[in-house]
Amino acid sequence: MEEDVLLKNNLLAERNRGYLSAKKILALNLVSSPGSGKTSLLEKTINDLKNEMDFNVIEGDQQTLNDALRIEKTGVPVVQINTGNGCHLDADMIHQALLKLGVGDNGVLMIENVGNLVCPAMFDLGESKRVVIISVTEGEDKPLKYPNMFATSDVCVITKTDLLPHLDFSLEKLKDYARQVNPHLEFIEHSVKGENPAWYGWLRKLVAER
């Protein structure tokens, strides 16, 4: 049964990928545990770059419209998907949300997945890149505890770095653990309280290359 579900999802994900590629839409799947700072990262990124990128957002949560309402205040189009008892977004949900959003050519689609480091790792959405987010308030061993998520991601954004002086947390240890499951994983350090040239530079590079 699980194989059938994943096969169907993967076929739908390829349909999404073809559609997004044809329209030159950069789609990022943001994944993390709850409370990592995904929505705050999105808010800051959109507010700082919305004059140079055409953002559209899909918000995934089990319940509430809270995150979608926060993104709505930035002035960009957003669709909320509530999964109920589900612990992840799937490719068909993204397809339906894309129909509602009507993302234009050369747009940037940000998908904020349900806060979970297990289920979303199994479901391809048709995204261009998968971005795993981990905050410095979490344990450094998250990559070893949830290897599939880090193994299937393209970049790891380490958030809340402004809190590092107050925490017993080693960035190098986290990166070492993550490289054990994914030697090709890129790392970007981020704080909504400061400047973020590495994160913005990475986004600008992807937009230029699509």
Side-chain angles (χ1 to χ4, degrees):
M1 179 64 73
E2 181 179 297
E3 289 182 3
D4 290 343
V5 170
L6 291 177
L7 176 60
K8 179 181 178 181
N9 181 82
N10 289 341
L11 291 173
L12 293 174
E14 285 305 314
R15 176 185 64 180
N16 290 347
R17 187 169 285 109
Y19 173 83
L20 293 165
S21 177
K23 293 176 69 66
K24 294 188 176 180
I25 296 170
L26 173 66
L28 302 183
N29 180 11
L30 308 182
V31 293
S32 78
S33 56
S36 66
K38 288 196 303 299
T39 310
S40 295
L41 180 149
L42 261 182
E43 285 177 310
K44 181 169 176 58
T45 300
I46 292 168
N47 282 324
D48 286 352
L49 301 183
K50 63 184 177 183
N51 290 332
E52 59 179 284
M53 298 181 190
D54 180 19
F55 286 106
N56 296 261
V57 178
I58 297 174
E59 280 290 342
D61 262 318
Q62 289 186 307
Q63 301 291 340
T64 81
L65 298 173
N66 293 352
D67 289 347
L69 292 173
R70 287 173 61 182
I71 297 302
E72 193 174 61
K73 291 178 181 178
T74 68
V76 304
V78 57
V79 168
Q80 175 76 50
I81 300 175
N82 288 128
T83 61
N85 292 329
C87 57
H88 59 86
L89 297 176
D90 63 34
D92 188 53
M93 292 175 184
I94 299 305
H95 173 67
Q96 298 302 324
L98 280 169
L99 295 178
K100 293 180 182 178
L101 278 171
V103 185
D105 293 359
N106 302 304
V108 176
L109 177 66
M110 298 292 224
I111 305 167
E112 182 174 352
N113 217 314
V114 179
N116 187 321
L117 285 175
V118 181
C119 303
M122 300 171 61
F123 286 82
D124 183 4
L125 304 180
E127 69 265 29
S128 312
K129 299 287 184 180
R130 181 174 290 182
V131 180
V132 61
I133 298 165
I134 180 171
S135 72
V136 299
T137 56
E138 302 174 62
E140 299 125 329
D141 60 349
K142 279 286 176 70
L144 301 181
K145 289 183 175 180
Y146 305 97
N148 287 344
M149 182 59 81
F150 287 83
T152 59
S153 293
D154 299 286
V155 64
C156 175
V157 177
I158 306 168
T159 58
K160 306 184 184 181
T161 54
D162 53 294
L163 298 178
L164 278 171
H166 311 288
L167 300 170
D168 182 16
F169 184 94
S170 169
L171 286 174
E172 288 311 309
K173 189 177 292 186
L174 167 67
K175 293 175 182 179
D176 179 61
Y177 289 150
R179 290 190 185 104
Q180 290 180 36
V181 298
N182 185 351
H184 306 292
L185 191 64
E186 295 182 60
F187 298 94
I188 297 174
E189 297 171 24
H190 185 277
S191 169
V192 296
K193 303 293 186 181
E195 301 297 322
N196 296 285
W199 169 240
Y200 294 165
W202 186 78
L203 287 176
R204 289 183 176 114
K205 183 173 182 288
L206 290 181
V207 166
E209 292 175 347
R210 66 188 165 191

